[in-house]
mmCIF file of all heavy atoms in Angstrom:
data_model
loop_
_atom_site.group_PDB
_atom_site.id
_atom_site.type_symbol
_atom_site.label_atom_id
_atom_site.label_comp_id
_atom_site.label_asym_id
_atom_site.label_seq_id
_atom_site.Cartn_x
_atom_site.Cartn_y
_atom_site.Cartn_z
ATOM 1 N N VAL E 291 -14.119 14.397 -5.931
ATOM 2 C CA VAL E 291 -14.013 13.747 -4.615
ATOM 3 C C VAL E 291 -13.239 14.615 -3.623
ATOM 4 O O VAL E 291 -13.765 15.012 -2.581
ATOM 5 C CB VAL E 291 -13.357 12.353 -4.742
ATOM 6 C CG1 VAL E 291 -13.175 11.721 -3.361
ATOM 7 C CG2 VAL E 291 -14.218 11.452 -5.629
ATOM 8 N N PHE E 292 -11.977 14.921 -3.923
ATOM 9 C CA PHE E 292 -11.159 15.677 -2.972
ATOM 10 C C PHE E 292 -11.735 17.069 -2.715
ATOM 11 O O PHE E 292 -11.769 17.542 -1.571
ATOM 12 C CB PHE E 292 -9.721 15.813 -3.473
ATOM 13 C CG PHE E 292 -8.987 14.515 -3.621
ATOM 14 C CD1 PHE E 292 -7.924 14.383 -4.513
ATOM 15 C CD2 PHE E 292 -9.336 13.396 -2.876
ATOM 16 C CE1 PHE E 292 -7.230 13.197 -4.657
ATOM 17 C CE2 PHE E 292 -8.653 12.187 -3.009
ATOM 18 C CZ PHE E 292 -7.592 12.094 -3.911
ATOM 19 N N ARG E 293 -12.177 17.722 -3.802
ATOM 20 C CA ARG E 293 -12.628 19.102 -3.681
ATOM 21 C C ARG E 293 -14.111 19.230 -3.310
ATOM 22 O O ARG E 293 -14.525 20.222 -2.716
ATOM 23 C CB ARG E 293 -12.394 19.841 -5.004
ATOM 24 C CG ARG E 293 -10.945 20.223 -5.241
ATOM 25 C CD ARG E 293 -10.575 21.417 -4.408
ATOM 26 N NE ARG E 293 -9.156 21.770 -4.493
ATOM 27 C CZ ARG E 293 -8.585 22.676 -3.730
ATOM 28 N NH1 ARG E 293 -9.296 23.328 -2.822
ATOM 29 N NH2 ARG E 293 -7.306 22.951 -3.840
ATOM 30 N N ASP E 294 -14.912 18.210 -3.662
ATOM 31 C CA ASP E 294 -16.360 18.350 -3.483
ATOM 32 C C ASP E 294 -16.908 17.435 -2.379
ATOM 33 O O ASP E 294 -17.465 17.901 -1.393
ATOM 34 C CB ASP E 294 -17.069 18.067 -4.817
ATOM 35 C CG ASP E 294 -18.571 18.309 -4.726
ATOM 36 O OD1 ASP E 294 -18.994 19.087 -3.856
ATOM 37 O OD2 ASP E 294 -19.316 17.712 -5.522
ATOM 38 N N ILE E 295 -16.708 16.124 -2.519
ATOM 39 C CA ILE E 295 -17.351 15.187 -1.593
ATOM 40 C C ILE E 295 -16.666 15.166 -0.225
ATOM 41 O O ILE E 295 -17.332 15.234 0.815
ATOM 42 C CB ILE E 295 -17.393 13.763 -2.202
ATOM 43 C CG1 ILE E 295 -18.237 13.769 -3.484
ATOM 44 C CG2 ILE E 295 -17.947 12.761 -1.201
ATOM 45 C CD1 ILE E 295 -18.273 12.433 -4.225
ATOM 46 N N LEU E 296 -15.333 15.060 -0.190
ATOM 47 C CA LEU E 296 -14.628 14.919 1.101
ATOM 48 C C LEU E 296 -14.871 16.079 2.069
ATOM 49 O O LEU E 296 -15.088 15.841 3.264
ATOM 50 C CB LEU E 296 -13.126 14.752 0.873
ATOM 51 C CG LEU E 296 -12.602 13.364 0.498
ATOM 52 C CD1 LEU E 296 -11.085 13.370 0.493
ATOM 53 C CD2 LEU E 296 -13.110 12.297 1.451
ATOM 54 N N PRO E 297 -14.842 17.345 1.622
ATOM 55 C CA PRO E 297 -14.987 18.442 2.592
ATOM 56 C C PRO E 297 -16.377 18.537 3.228
ATOM 57 O O PRO E 297 -16.554 19.285 4.194
ATOM 58 C CB PRO E 297 -14.700 19.699 1.745
ATOM 59 C CG PRO E 297 -13.922 19.209 0.571
ATOM 60 C CD PRO E 297 -14.471 17.844 0.289
ATOM 61 N N LYS E 298 -17.352 17.802 2.716
ATOM 62 C CA LYS E 298 -18.716 17.909 3.250
ATOM 63 C C LYS E 298 -18.807 17.418 4.695
ATOM 64 O O LYS E 298 -19.682 17.828 5.442
ATOM 65 C CB LYS E 298 -19.690 17.101 2.375
ATOM 66 C CG LYS E 298 -19.929 17.701 1.007
ATOM 67 C CD LYS E 298 -20.844 16.806 0.187
ATOM 68 C CE LYS E 298 -21.030 17.334 -1.229
ATOM 69 N NZ LYS E 298 -21.827 16.405 -2.058
ATOM 70 N N ILE E 299 -17.926 16.489 5.063
ATOM 71 C CA ILE E 299 -17.934 15.968 6.434
ATOM 72 C C ILE E 299 -16.657 16.417 7.127
ATOM 73 O O ILE E 299 -15.562 16.154 6.644
ATOM 74 C CB ILE E 299 -18.014 14.426 6.438
ATOM 75 C CG1 ILE E 299 -19.313 13.960 5.786
ATOM 76 C CG2 ILE E 299 -17.916 13.889 7.857
ATOM 77 C CD1 ILE E 299 -19.483 12.458 5.764
ATOM 78 N N ASN E 300 -16.794 17.083 8.249
ATOM 79 C CA ASN E 300 -15.584 17.544 8.937
ATOM 80 C C ASN E 300 -15.410 16.890 10.307
ATOM 81 O O ASN E 300 -14.680 17.385 11.143
ATOM 82 C CB ASN E 300 -15.574 19.070 9.060
ATOM 83 C CG ASN E 300 -16.754 19.580 9.874
ATOM 84 O OD1 ASN E 300 -17.488 18.801 10.475
ATOM 85 N ND2 ASN E 300 -16.936 20.898 9.882
ATOM 86 N N GLN E 301 -16.076 15.749 10.519
ATOM 87 C CA GLN E 301 -15.949 15.065 11.808
ATOM 88 C C GLN E 301 -14.716 14.174 11.867
ATOM 89 O O GLN E 301 -14.287 13.759 12.928
ATOM 90 C CB GLN E 301 -17.169 14.161 12.028
ATOM 91 C CG GLN E 301 -17.165 12.938 11.090
ATOM 92 C CD GLN E 301 -18.341 12.033 11.289
ATOM 93 O OE1 GLN E 301 -19.479 12.441 11.188
ATOM 94 N NE2 GLN E 301 -18.077 10.770 11.576
ATOM 95 N N THR E 302 -14.144 13.904 10.706
ATOM 96 C CA THR E 302 -13.172 12.817 10.619
ATOM 97 C C THR E 302 -11.747 13.227 10.963
ATOM 98 O O THR E 302 -11.366 14.378 10.836
ATOM 99 C CB THR E 302 -13.182 12.224 9.202
ATOM 100 O OG1 THR E 302 -12.221 11.177 9.134
ATOM 101 C CG2 THR E 302 -12.782 13.270 8.185
ATOM 102 N N THR E 303 -10.996 12.259 11.419
ATOM 103 C CA THR E 303 -9.545 12.373 11.399
ATOM 104 C C THR E 303 -9.047 11.204 10.572
ATOM 105 O O THR E 303 -9.728 10.198 10.431
ATOM 106 C CB THR E 303 -8.949 12.288 12.815
ATOM 107 O OG1 THR E 303 -9.348 11.039 13.404
ATOM 108 C CG2 THR E 303 -9.438 13.428 13.680
ATOM 109 N N GLY E 304 -7.884 11.337 10.039
ATOM 110 C CA GLY E 304 -7.356 10.249 9.222
ATOM 111 C C GLY E 304 -6.378 10.776 8.204
ATOM 112 O O GLY E 304 -6.064 11.966 8.161
ATOM 113 N N THR E 305 -5.906 9.871 7.382
ATOM 114 C CA THR E 305 -4.916 10.189 6.369
ATOM 115 C C THR E 305 -5.503 9.909 4.995
ATOM 116 O O THR E 305 -6.137 8.879 4.790
ATOM 117 C CB THR E 305 -3.653 9.339 6.580
ATOM 118 O OG1 THR E 305 -3.089 9.653 7.852
ATOM 119 C CG2 THR E 305 -2.622 9.604 5.505
ATOM 120 N N PHE E 306 -5.289 10.828 4.051
ATOM 121 C CA PHE E 306 -5.768 10.665 2.685
ATOM 122 C C PHE E 306 -4.562 10.618 1.751
ATOM 123 O O PHE E 306 -3.830 11.597 1.622
ATOM 124 C CB PHE E 306 -6.696 11.819 2.287
ATOM 125 C CG PHE E 306 -7.872 11.993 3.215
ATOM 126 C CD1 PHE E 306 -8.354 13.257 3.510
ATOM 127 C CD2 PHE E 306 -8.484 10.901 3.797
ATOM 128 C CE1 PHE E 306 -9.436 13.432 4.367
ATOM 129 C CE2 PHE E 306 -9.566 11.053 4.656
ATOM 130 C CZ PHE E 306 -10.043 12.319 4.940
ATOM 131 N N LEU E 307 -4.360 9.472 1.120
ATOM 132 C CA LEU E 307 -3.196 9.258 0.266
ATOM 133 C C LEU E 307 -3.570 9.352 -1.207
ATOM 134 O O LEU E 307 -4.666 8.946 -1.611
ATOM 135 C CB LEU E 307 -2.601 7.864 0.518
ATOM 136 C CG LEU E 307 -2.209 7.512 1.959
ATOM 137 C CD1 LEU E 307 -1.672 6.091 2.017
ATOM 138 C CD2 LEU E 307 -1.181 8.501 2.476
ATOM 139 N N VAL E 308 -2.645 9.853 -2.014
ATOM 140 C CA VAL E 308 -2.817 9.835 -3.472
ATOM 141 C C VAL E 308 -1.439 9.878 -4.116
ATOM 142 O O VAL E 308 -0.695 10.844 -3.956
ATOM 143 C CB VAL E 308 -3.723 10.999 -3.957
ATOM 144 C CG1 VAL E 308 -3.231 12.354 -3.442
ATOM 145 C CG2 VAL E 308 -3.820 11.013 -5.478
ATOM 146 N N TYR E 309 -1.095 8.782 -4.807
ATOM 147 C CA TYR E 309 0.224 8.740 -5.458
ATOM 148 C C TYR E 309 0.203 7.757 -6.629
ATOM 149 O O TYR E 309 -0.551 6.776 -6.634
ATOM 150 C CB TYR E 309 1.324 8.377 -4.460
ATOM 151 C CG TYR E 309 1.160 7.049 -3.743
ATOM 152 C CD1 TYR E 309 1.709 5.883 -4.261
ATOM 153 C CD2 TYR E 309 0.489 6.966 -2.533
ATOM 154 C CE1 TYR E 309 1.583 4.674 -3.596
ATOM 155 C CE2 TYR E 309 0.361 5.765 -1.857
ATOM 156 C CZ TYR E 309 0.905 4.620 -2.390
ATOM 157 O OH TYR E 309 0.775 3.422 -1.735
ATOM 158 N N PRO E 310 1.027 8.015 -7.650
ATOM 159 C CA PRO E 310 0.995 7.203 -8.867
ATOM 160 C C PRO E 310 1.905 5.979 -8.778
ATOM 161 O O PRO E 310 2.928 5.983 -8.090
ATOM 162 C CB PRO E 310 1.514 8.171 -9.942
ATOM 163 C CG PRO E 310 2.462 9.066 -9.194
ATOM 164 C CD PRO E 310 1.904 9.196 -7.794
ATOM 165 N N VAL E 311 1.508 4.936 -9.480
ATOM 166 C CA VAL E 311 2.334 3.743 -9.650
ATOM 167 C C VAL E 311 2.327 3.361 -11.133
ATOM 168 O O VAL E 311 1.523 3.870 -11.916
ATOM 169 C CB VAL E 311 1.849 2.563 -8.780
ATOM 170 C CG1 VAL E 311 2.084 2.847 -7.313
ATOM 171 C CG2 VAL E 311 0.376 2.264 -9.021
ATOM 172 N N ILE E 312 3.224 2.451 -11.482
ATOM 173 C CA ILE E 312 3.432 2.116 -12.891
ATOM 174 C C ILE E 312 2.976 0.684 -13.161
ATOM 175 O O ILE E 312 3.398 -0.254 -12.476
ATOM 176 C CB ILE E 312 4.925 2.273 -13.259
ATOM 177 C CG1 ILE E 312 5.393 3.709 -12.973
ATOM 178 C CG2 ILE E 312 5.173 1.907 -14.718
ATOM 179 C CD1 ILE E 312 6.885 3.926 -13.093
ATOM 180 N N ARG E 313 2.132 0.522 -14.156
ATOM 181 C CA ARG E 313 1.503 -0.773 -14.412
ATOM 182 C C ARG E 313 2.508 -1.874 -14.722
ATOM 183 O O ARG E 313 2.333 -3.021 -14.312
ATOM 184 C CB ARG E 313 0.511 -0.650 -15.576
ATOM 185 C CG ARG E 313 -0.449 -1.821 -15.676
ATOM 186 C CD ARG E 313 -1.429 -1.679 -16.825
ATOM 187 N NE ARG E 313 -2.656 -2.412 -16.558
ATOM 188 C CZ ARG E 313 -2.779 -3.723 -16.641
ATOM 189 N NH1 ARG E 313 -1.734 -4.463 -16.983
ATOM 190 N NH2 ARG E 313 -3.926 -4.321 -16.374
ATOM 191 N N ASN E 314 3.579 -1.556 -15.452
ATOM 192 C CA ASN E 314 4.493 -2.625 -15.872
ATOM 193 C C ASN E 314 5.350 -3.165 -14.730
ATOM 194 O O ASN E 314 6.148 -4.083 -14.929
ATOM 195 C CB ASN E 314 5.368 -2.176 -17.056
ATOM 196 C CG ASN E 314 6.362 -1.084 -16.710
ATOM 197 O OD1 ASN E 314 6.617 -0.802 -15.534
ATOM 198 N ND2 ASN E 314 6.922 -0.450 -17.732
ATOM 199 N N LYS E 315 5.185 -2.612 -13.517
ATOM 200 C CA LYS E 315 5.844 -3.180 -12.337
ATOM 201 C C LYS E 315 4.983 -4.276 -11.690
ATOM 202 O O LYS E 315 5.383 -4.874 -10.699
ATOM 203 C CB LYS E 315 6.133 -2.087 -11.302
ATOM 204 C CG LYS E 315 7.062 -0.982 -11.806
ATOM 205 C CD LYS E 315 8.469 -1.492 -12.042
ATOM 206 C CE LYS E 315 9.400 -0.358 -12.464
ATOM 207 N NZ LYS E 315 10.789 -0.830 -12.671
ATOM 208 N N TRP E 316 3.802 -4.487 -12.224
ATOM 209 C CA TRP E 316 2.878 -5.513 -11.739
ATOM 210 C C TRP E 316 2.865 -6.670 -12.736
ATOM 211 O O TRP E 316 2.929 -6.455 -13.946
ATOM 212 C CB TRP E 316 1.466 -4.962 -11.595
ATOM 213 C CG TRP E 316 1.329 -3.851 -10.610
ATOM 214 C CD1 TRP E 316 1.931 -2.624 -10.645
ATOM 215 C CD2 TRP E 316 0.533 -3.853 -9.420
ATOM 216 N NE1 TRP E 316 1.559 -1.866 -9.564
ATOM 217 C CE2 TRP E 316 0.697 -2.598 -8.788
ATOM 218 C CE3 TRP E 316 -0.320 -4.791 -8.829
ATOM 219 C CZ2 TRP E 316 0.046 -2.263 -7.596
ATOM 220 C CZ3 TRP E 316 -0.958 -4.462 -7.649
ATOM 221 C CH2 TRP E 316 -0.773 -3.215 -7.040
#
Side-chain angles (χ1 to χ4, degrees):
V291 177
F292 297 155
R293 284 283 175 188
D294 185 24
I295 298 176
L296 279 187
K298 290 177 184 175
I299 298 181
N300 61 9
Q301 71 180 57
T302 179
T303 58
T305 298
F306 304 144
L307 305 179
V308 53
Y309 58 91
V311 291
I312 302 171
R313 195 180 206 284
N314 67 14
K315 299 292 183 179
W316 298 62

